[in-house]
Amino acid sequence: MSVLVYAENTGGKFKKSVYEAVSYARAIANQNNTTLTAISIGDVSSDELSALGNYGAHKILNVSNGQLKNFVNQAYAAVLAKAAEAEQADVVVISNTFSGRGLAPRVAVKLSAGIADGAVSLPETADGKFIVKKTAFSGKAFAMVQLTSVNIVIALIPNSYKVIENITNAVTEDFLVETKESDFKAMLKEIIKSADKVSLPDAEIVVSGGRGLKGPENWGMIEELAGLLGAATACSKPVSDAGWRSHSEHVGQTGIAVSPNLYIAIGISGAIQHLAGISSSKVIVVINKDAEAPFYKVADYGIVGDAFEIVPKLIDAVKAYKA
Ligand code: FAD
C-alpha cells in the first residue's frame, strides 16, 4: 500500500491547508510503514511543487495538461483515481476545501473506497481498520467512523492538523493521463472575480457582519477592515436575505462553510446555524454589544461593545501598525 495526497493549488500557489494535508498524509504513511506521493494538477511552478517535499512527500506527481488548467470536478476526480491506481495507493487524502468537498466523494466512488469527509484528526488503526474522527451534523457534533474497505478517501478539514516540516528531497515526475470527453460535461468557462476581493471559501481571514450593523450603508467599515487585513467579507443569513449583501457572502449551515485562520464576527449573535459554517476557524474574534450573545461561547477573543465605536478604532490600529 501507499498514500496519495492531492495538493490543490490556488492560482498556481499552495496554501497552508495543502501543507497540513501533506503532513497529515505523511503521518498516515508513517503509521503504515509506507510511502507518500503528492499530486498536483494545473499550472504550478517547479519551485512551488518541490516545496511539497518539505512536508514529507516522497514523490511528487505533476499533471500539467492544458485541459486541466482549471478545476473540473469529474476530470480531476478521474485523474486522482488513476494516480491512486498507478501508485497502488490505498489511502487518498484531500483537503476539505470548497473544491475538495466535491472531489472527495467522486474519487471514493471511482475507487470503490470508504470515505471520511470532514476528518479532524489522524485515524486510529486497529486490525487493518481505520477509525476516523469527523464532523457531523454541519459541524455540531463529531462522529467516529470505521472504514473497513480496502481503499479509503479522507477529506481533512483545514486548520485541524498542524504543518510538520519533514524534508525528503522528493523528485517531481510528470504524470501523463488521458482524459475522456465525458469527464468534461460540466466545464469551468470563466472565473468572474469581484474587483480586488479575496475569495471567501478559501480565505485565510474573514471579516463578517450581521444584523447588528443595522443596514447595508454601514458595510463601508467592514470592507475597509477586510481590505486592510487582506480578508474576505462575509455575512449572516438574515443580512443576505434582506439584500444588504450578496448571497455569495452568506456563511453557515445553509451558506458557505469557511475554515480561515481568523474569523472576525461583528454584530452577529452566533446562532447554531451560523456557527455550523465557521466552527473550523482557527481563531474566532467576536464583537457584540451583548455580553450574553451565544457567539462568545465559541470565541477565542471577544470585545463587548458597540461595533460602530470598536470597528473604526480597529481600523485605525491596523493602519497605525502598517504605517
Ligand atoms: P441577530 O440574531 O439579529 O443578531 C444580531 C446581533 O448583533 C445580536 O447579538 C446583537 O447583540 C448584536 N448587535 C446589535 N447591535 C450591535 C452593535 N451596535 N454593535 C455590536 N453588536 C450589535 N443564519 C446564518 O447566519 N447562516 C445560516 O446558514 C443559517 N441557516 C439557517 C437555517 C435554518 C433552517 C434556520 C431556521 C435558520 C438559519 N439561520 C442561518 C438563521 C439563524 O438562526 C439566525 O437567525 C441568524 O444567524 C441571526 O443573524 P444575526 O446574528 O446577524 O442577527
Side-chain angles (χ1 to χ4, degrees), residues 200-230:
L200 176 60
D202 300 313
E204 304 269 344
I205 304 177
V206 175
V207 179
S208 190
R211 209 150 43 178
L213 290 169
K214 318 286 183 220
E217 66 281 5
N218 295 323
W219 242 264
M221 62 181 186
I222 300 294
E223 291 194 327
E224 188 175 1
L225 182 60
L228 285 165
L229 296 173

Side-chain angles (χ1 to χ4, degrees), residues 11-28:
K13 299 275 175 215
F14 296 132
K15 290 196 165 171
K16 188 172 131 270
S17 58
V18 169
Y19 302 131
E20 291 166 1
V22 176
S23 306
Y24 177 87
R26 174 58 193 256
I28 295 178

Side-chain angles (χ1 to χ4, degrees), residues 211 214 236-237 250-254 267 269 273-274 288 306-307:
R211 209 150 43 178
K214 318 286 183 220
S236 63
K237 183 172 182 291
H250 154 199
V251 164
Q253 183 183 323
T254 48
S269 57
Q273 296 89 354
H274 187 86
N288 195 307
D306 186 343

Side-chain angles (χ1 to χ4, degrees), residues 23-291:
S23 306
Y24 177 87
R26 174 58 193 256
I28 295 178
N30 287 351
Q31 279 178 338
N32 293 280
N33 292 322
T34 189
T35 54
L36 171 66
T37 301
I39 179 166
S40 158
I41 309 175
D43 271 351
V44 179
S45 71
S46 54
D47 280 355
E48 193 72 12
L49 284 171
S50 60
L52 299 172
N54 295 339
Y55 305 97
H58 294 103
K59 186 175 13 166
I60 300 155
L61 300 180
N62 179 32
V63 183
S64 180
N65 160 339
Q67 267 192 310
L68 296 167
K69 194 169 177 251
N70 289 322
F71 177 73
V72 184
N73 245 325
Q74 283 92 345
Y76 274 43
V79 172
L80 290 184
K82 281 180 187 158
E85 281 159 8
E87 293 297 306
Q88 297 181 324
D90 296 348
V91 181
V92 178
V93 174
I94 295 172
S95 293
N96 202 81
T97 58
F98 192 62
S99 32
R101 278 196 291 277
L103 205 48
R106 288 180 168 86
V107 175
V109 167
K110 286 183 188 299
L111 296 174
S112 301
I115 180 168
D117 55 341
V120 291
S121 61
L122 267 185
E124 292 165 24
T125 45
D127 305 328
K129 289 171 188 151
F130 271 64
I131 301 163
V132 187
K133 185 176 180 185
K134 55 159 276 174
T135 56
F137 302 111
S138 305
K140 292 194 222 38
F142 293 107
M144 301 298 285
V145 290
Q146 181 171 299
L147 301 168
T148 50
S149 53
V150 175
N151 293 316
I152 288 166
V153 173
I154 300 179
L156 176 72
I157 294 210
N159 286 326
S160 53
Y161 196 77
K162 56 190 177 303
V163 173
I164 303 170
E165 204 172 287
N166 183 353
I167 296 171
T168 54
N169 297 320
V171 283
T172 302
E173 293 174 9
D174 285 332
F175 183 67
L176 301 174
V177 61
E178 279 182 27
T179 46
K180 291 190 293 190
E181 209 182 308
S182 56
D183 290 332
F184 292 90
K185 280 185 187 153
M187 289 278 294
L188 179 71
K189 290 204 139 183
E190 193 187 353
I191 299 174
I192 305 166
K193 280 193 180 170
S194 313
D196 298 330
K197 279 205 165 178
V198 179
S199 142
L200 176 60
D202 300 313
E204 304 269 344
I205 304 177
V206 175
V207 179
S208 190
R211 209 150 43 178
L213 290 169
K214 318 286 183 220
E217 66 281 5
N218 295 323
W219 242 264
M221 62 181 186
I222 300 294
E223 291 194 327
E224 188 175 1
L225 182 60
L228 285 165
L229 296 173
T233 48
C235 66
S236 63
K237 183 172 182 291
V239 164
S240 62
D241 285 348
W244 298 358
R245 300 296 289 179
S246 146
H247 273 290
S248 61
E249 289 196 358
H250 154 199
V251 164
Q253 183 183 323
T254 48
I256 290 175
V258 294
S259 309
N261 288 325
L262 175 62
Y263 186 82
I264 305 178
I266 305 171
I268 305 177
S269 57
I272 195 158
Q273 296 89 354
H274 187 86
L275 300 184
I278 63 112
S279 54
S280 52
S281 304
K282 192 160 191 186
V283 175
I284 297 173
V285 174
V286 171
I287 301 172
N288 195 307
K289 68 177 186 185
D290 175 8

